[in-house]
Amino acid sequence: MSRLSREPATARGFDAVAEAVLGEDSRTAAGGTGAVLLAEPLARINEAVKGGRIGEAATVAERTVAQASGTLGPDHPEVLRLRELTAYIAYLAGDPLRSFRLCIDLARIHHRNRDAEAAYGDIQSAATAWRAVRDPEQGLRLGRDLIGLWTELTIEDGPAADDMEQLHSARTRMGRLAARARSTLAPSAFSRSTSSARRPSPGCRSRWSRFLPALASGTRWNSSRLPRPVPRSGSYGSSGCRTAIRSRKAGRPWNSTVASPGSAPDSSSRSTNALLSSTS
């Protein structure tokens, strides 16, 4: 029975602003008292919002806030309500970042003035704008400001302390944003690390650059690390290598004693092969 007799929830945040905009009397949005100065611009703003002319409503609202702040003061209740309407219009215009900043500033002002109901209403508006921010890193930065101020409101008596479920929901979204931010940054960090690991250092490139001409010319390395030309033909073989060594000891050029592939060996090569075969 207690659940059935519970009173309906009070409209807060952008819901309350929308009800004021759609109301019959434009003074409702301005709070009644002292609304004579803002009655005409508020009527124009409300008509523009109802007609879907969000750009026109935003222009009139910005100009009216500037004029009213100079006349009544930036913290006047009528100016604060007009700033709430400006934040709502920014949200309708698809600018959740600006809407969030306006709402969080209003929440701080109302919290400083000990108006828990108005502060919590602005927190709800800021949370609505925050949920429209899709970038995970930006959402994390805004969420820290939102949850920090929201937590301060729950310490004191007021509607924020009686509605902890909304705060828990915001903290859950922070966890999801953190997971999305990690998944977005992990592949790029991995690719940077692997590319830097594959890239040789400048010292390595300069140390080996003096060997590149020798490598390109088809040379091999001996134990003294000095390049020695090696012929690419098939004149090196088991017998050709020994022939080259014997010929070099005898003072004859070794390549003259080794037959090229596909040609008949001459007399000197036949005698050399006979000598090698007899010694082996």
Side-chain angles (χ1 to χ4, degrees), residues 1-98:
M1 295 296 294
S2 60
R3 293 185 179 180
L4 295 177
S5 60
R6 184 179 299 175
E7 297 180 357
T10 305
R12 294 189 180 94
F14 288 155
D15 293 338
V17 178
E19 288 184 1
V21 171
L22 298 176
E24 295 295 333
D25 188 2
S26 63
R27 295 186 181 185
T28 306
T33 306
V36 178
L37 179 63
L38 304 177
E40 181 180 356
L42 279 174
R44 293 177 54 192
I45 294 171
N46 293 346
E47 290 298 326
V49 172
K50 292 176 184 178
R53 303 186 304 274
I54 306 300
E56 177 185 347
T59 302
V60 178
E62 293 286 349
R63 183 170 60 249
T64 306
V65 167
Q67 295 174 354
S69 298
T71 304
L72 303 175
D75 293 343
H76 192 276
E78 307 300 338
V79 178
L80 295 180
R81 293 188 181 93
L82 185 58
R83 291 172 64 181
E84 291 175 353
L85 178 59
T86 305
Y88 175 64
I89 294 173
Y91 176 75
L92 295 179
D95 192 356
L97 181 59
R98 172 170 173 74

Side-chain angles (χ1 to χ4, degrees), residues 3 43 51 57 62 75 94 109-110 157 179 195 203 209 254 257:
R3 293 185 179 180
E62 293 286 349
D75 293 343
I109 294 173
H110 286 130
D157 294 335
S195 61
S209 60
W254 65 271
T257 61

Side-chain angles (χ1 to χ4, degrees), residues 12-217:
R12 294 189 180 94
F14 288 155
D15 293 338
V17 178
E19 288 184 1
V21 171
L22 298 176
E24 295 295 333
D25 188 2
S26 63
R27 295 186 181 185
T28 306
T33 306
V36 178
L37 179 63
L38 304 177
E40 181 180 356
L42 279 174
R44 293 177 54 192
I45 294 171
N46 293 346
E47 290 298 326
V49 172
K50 292 176 184 178
R53 303 186 304 274
I54 306 300
E56 177 185 347
T59 302
V60 178
E62 293 286 349
R63 183 170 60 249
T64 306
V65 167
Q67 295 174 354
S69 298
T71 304
L72 303 175
D75 293 343
H76 192 276
E78 307 300 338
V79 178
L80 295 180
R81 293 188 181 93
L82 185 58
R83 291 172 64 181
E84 291 175 353
L85 178 59
T86 305
Y88 175 64
I89 294 173
Y91 176 75
L92 295 179
D95 192 356
L97 181 59
R98 172 170 173 74
S99 178
F100 174 86
R101 290 173 176 169
L102 290 172
C103 294
I104 206 72
D105 290 342
L106 289 169
R108 291 192 179 99
I109 294 173
H110 286 130
H111 179 51
R112 188 170 59 247
N113 296 336
R114 303 294 182 181
D115 190 346
E117 180 67 34
Y120 187 58
D122 294 327
I123 285 291
Q124 291 296 314
S125 298
T128 302
W130 173 60
R131 294 186 185 96
V133 176
R134 298 305 178 187
D135 183 74
E137 295 184 3
Q138 192 175 52
L140 286 173
R141 290 192 298 268
L142 300 179
R144 294 187 190 100
D145 295 339
L146 174 65
I147 293 179
L149 182 57
W150 200 337
T151 305
E152 292 181 11
L153 294 179
T154 59
I155 299 175
E156 305 173 356
D157 294 335
D162 300 333
D163 192 10
M164 295 295 296
E165 184 178 354
Q166 295 292 330
L167 179 58
H168 295 330
S169 177
R171 287 172 175 167
T172 302
R173 184 174 188 262
M174 286 289 288
R176 294 195 301 268
L177 290 174
R180 286 174 52 195
R182 285 193 300 267
S183 63
T184 303
L185 294 176
S188 59
F190 177 76
S191 61
R192 287 195 302 268
S193 63
T194 53
S195 61
S196 61
R198 290 193 300 265
R199 190 183 303 114
S201 62
C204 179
R205 290 196 298 268
S206 61
R207 185 167 58 250
W208 287 99
S209 60
R210 58 193 180 96
F211 298 130
L212 293 179
L215 292 173
S217 63

